Amino acid sequence: MFFGSLFYYDRKKHEWFTVQTYSGYENKVKANLDQRIASMGMENKIFRVLVPTEERVVVKDGKSRRISHKLFPSYVLVEMIMDEQSWYVVRHTPGVTGFIGAGNHPLPITDSEIDEILVKIGEKEAAPAPKVEIDCEIGDRVRVSAGPLAGMEGPVTEISPGKGKVKFSANVFGHDTEIEVDYAELEKL
């Protein structure tokens, strides 16, 4: 039981939660929370504290420099098993203003959302794109069956199976032009 009957977590699995902080204190909260986890022996309930950032290149006055940009200013992500003890440790860390959720009901981040964040910051690799099998060869005639180029046709000049794209030559305004389209938009003649 958590705060009487207000909040009950029957799950004993680790989930990611969003913690709100004072603006500009994200890294300080991370350091404070890491120190509290170690000093209070909470390593078995609070696993990771993350301030999601991405590297950006900023060009100013003709000079470029790399900067680290926070994806979610004023928020820190915490991977933990939610119970009274772990909630207390996180909630009472200096700089923390609360969990994201309804009242005293912290809401976990969905697996798909955290996967997307981890991919964006480079901590996880994106799922590989499905392989596209292209059933045509260079020289085959194809016609675009969908999209803005529908009806255009010509011989295949290049195939990029990794991208799922095909280039073909078509007559546009009296000139031969090479056009690249997704294989899914083509039909073989």
Side-chain angles (χ1 to χ4, degrees), residues 7-171:
F7 187 64
Y8 178 71
Y9 254 95
D10 193 22
R11 300 174 245 180
K12 290 296 180 200
K13 69 175 194 168
H14 59 92
E15 296 178 295
W16 285 91
F17 292 88
T18 308
V19 176
Q20 190 167 15
T21 68
Y22 293 119
S23 180
Y25 281 72
E26 301 87 357
N27 292 327
K28 184 77 170 160
V29 165
K30 179 186 179 341
N32 287 341
L33 192 48
D34 285 339
Q35 186 269 329
R36 283 176 59 93
I37 291 166
S39 68
M40 298 176 90
M42 295 297 292
E43 296 90 351
N44 61 339
K45 291 186 179 181
I46 304 173
F47 307 104
R48 289 175 66 192
V49 181
L50 186 63
V51 179
T53 60
E54 67 180 353
E55 293 294 316
R56 290 190 177 174
V57 176
V58 176
V59 178
K60 189 172 183 180
D61 298 327
K63 296 179 183 177
S64 64
R65 64 184 177 115
R66 290 183 162 285
I67 62 165
S68 182
H69 175 75
K70 290 183 183 106
L71 292 178
F72 309 108
S74 300
Y75 296 97
V76 173
L77 304 180
V78 180
E79 183 181 21
M80 61 192 283
I81 295 173
M82 180 62 74
D83 65 11
E84 286 184 53
Q85 199 177 20
S86 60
W87 179 90
Y88 182 87
V89 169
V90 174
R91 180 63 184 92
H92 290 88
T93 297
V96 170
T97 60
F99 281 90
I100 297 298
N104 286 332
H105 304 282
L107 295 175
I109 301 171
T110 65
D111 291 340
S112 62
E113 289 172 328
I114 195 64
D115 285 346
E116 189 178 312
I117 293 168
L118 293 175
V119 165
K120 190 166 189 168
I121 65 172
E123 286 204 14
K124 185 175 184 178
E125 291 203 22
K131 293 213 178 219
V132 177
E133 287 191 27
I134 299 176
D135 185 30
C136 68
E137 296 176 10
I138 293 177
D140 288 349
R141 289 195 59 79
V142 293
R143 178 181 312 146
V144 180
S145 60
L149 302 174
M152 297 190 93
E153 60 182 71
V156 173
T157 58
E158 186 179 325
I159 300 172
S160 301
K163 294 196 252 176
K165 303 271 187 185
V166 172
K167 285 186 182 178
F168 69 97
S169 181
N171 190 329

